[in-house]
Amino acid sequence: MGVHDAPAWLVPAFTRNVAEAGGTAPVEQVRRTAEDLLERWTRPERHFHNLRHLVDVLARVDELDEEAHHPELVRLAAWYHGAVFDSAERKAYANRGGEDEAASAVLAREQLTGLGVPEKQAQRVADLVSALVRHSPDVKDTDCAVLCDADLAMLATEPQRYKAYLQDVRAEYAHLPVADYVRARLRILRKLLARPSLFVSPLAQPWEEPARQNVSAELQRLEKEIARLEKAEAEKAEAAKAEAGQDADTQQAGTADATNASTTPSTRRD
């Protein structure tokens, strides 16, 4: 899905949200900012964290917006929450993968203040984006809870769509060796399941059970996969060790033969 495939309502919605947040910039300037964000969300290296994900998060915010005090700021935070993304190997997948919330928060503050949004509101959007690093909002911060729940809502989708989500995430980190990726994913899944609740907003509570079912099923599958991979790694290491031992024995035998040949008296008669 490229920029030209973006739903027609996205740019007008962003423009409206900026105005609701107090933005004073001309509409055309706001539209250019929206188009810049869309270009970021549609870059080819994005397989999951792409325009479809942005649309999904905005749709989930719509489902929960009755609980938000400032839904326009939550929607703006959704636009920016993955605006800066880099799935290169230097980004550890176990530490939030390619989403750079810190850089995205800075971008949000800079662009929104550039559109005339008051500093307080722009900073609030940046703070909401930064909160996604841990996905553990204060239950009293309903705006943050709505954004975090909307971002995690993919966990609660039907099994087939969850499977597609897993394939897309793996494609984003195809450069990581399988075992490294599986271990990182297992750490994430175990942290999720250890939480008392995955979702904070009351309206998001129906997502809890299907999300836990999806995550638990994935965890069981990956635990079997890592056991198989680790067994294969151990067998490979053992085989390499045995081969190295054989090589050493052969080399030692060759050295001994050479030594014996040089020290054995000659039986030749002159």
Side-chain angles (χ1 to χ4, degrees):
M1 184 183 289
V3 173
H4 299 296
D5 301 317
W9 57 267
L10 274 173
V11 172
F14 180 82
T15 302
R16 182 174 62 254
N17 294 153
V18 169
E20 292 169 343
T24 57
V27 171
E28 189 55 39
Q29 182 181 347
V30 180
R31 289 180 63 86
R32 285 196 300 271
T33 300
E35 289 166 358
D36 169 71
L37 289 170
L38 290 178
E39 189 277 328
R40 291 172 178 272
W41 281 100
T42 54
R43 288 175 182 170
E45 68 271 18
R46 294 173 178 252
H47 296 272
F48 170 69
H49 296 93
N50 55 17
L51 188 59
R52 187 177 297 107
H53 175 61
L54 171 62
V55 170
D56 285 344
V57 173
L58 289 170
R60 295 295 191 171
V61 171
D62 287 346
E63 293 181 44
L64 305 175
D65 68 355
E66 291 181 13
E67 299 181 14
H69 289 304
H70 300 285
E72 73 283 358
L73 300 185
V74 177
R75 290 188 175 92
L76 289 173
W79 273 85
Y80 282 99
H81 84 280
V84 179
F85 181 88
D86 180 7
S87 62
E89 193 166 1
R90 62 190 177 82
K91 295 287 187 180
Y93 177 63
N95 295 320
R96 300 291 305 140
E99 289 183 299
D100 191 333
E101 290 87 354
S104 294
V106 170
L107 180 69
R109 184 170 58 251
E110 290 177 348
Q111 288 195 342
L112 291 175
T113 53
L115 296 177
V117 174
E119 177 65 30
K120 182 178 179 180
Q121 281 83 341
Q123 184 60 52
R124 174 58 172 161
V125 172
D127 291 342
L128 289 171
V129 172
S130 297
L132 291 179
V133 172
R134 292 184 175 82
H135 273 91
S136 56
D138 184 333
V139 294
K140 297 179 182 178
D141 189 344
T142 56
D143 288 345
C144 188
V146 166
L147 180 63
C148 289
D149 288 353
D151 191 38
L152 286 181
M154 178 56 67
L155 299 178
T157 55
E158 59 275 11
Q160 281 303 111
R161 192 175 180 197
Y162 188 81
K163 182 179 179 181
Y165 147 70
L166 296 180
Q167 292 171 343
D168 289 340
V169 172
R170 181 63 183 116
E172 282 184 341
Y173 303 97
H175 56 278
L176 291 179
V178 175
D180 291 349
Y181 176 81
V182 171
R183 290 187 182 103
R185 185 74 185 172
L186 283 169
R187 287 194 291 272
I188 292 171
L189 297 177
R190 287 167 180 153
K191 286 180 181 179
L192 287 171
L193 289 175
R195 295 183 179 187
S197 178
L198 295 172
F199 302 100
V200 177
S201 305
L203 287 176
Q205 292 312 301
W207 303 344
E208 186 75 24
E209 186 58 29
R212 287 191 175 274
Q213 290 178 358
N214 284 333
V215 173
S216 296
E218 183 190 358
L219 178 65
Q220 292 176 10
R221 180 180 63 79
L222 292 184
E223 284 177 337
K224 292 179 181 178
E225 183 173 356
I226 197 63
R228 179 182 60 79
L229 291 170
E230 289 178 345
K231 180 181 179 181
E233 289 176 349
E235 290 175 348
K236 184 177 180 180
E238 189 64 28
K241 182 179 179 182
E243 184 178 352
Q246 291 175 355
D247 290 344
D249 290 342
T250 300
Q251 183 178 5
Q252 185 176 7
T255 301
D257 290 344
T259 301
N260 290 336
S262 64
T263 59
T264 300
S266 174
T267 59
R268 179 180 175 182
R269 294 179 181 273
D270 294 329

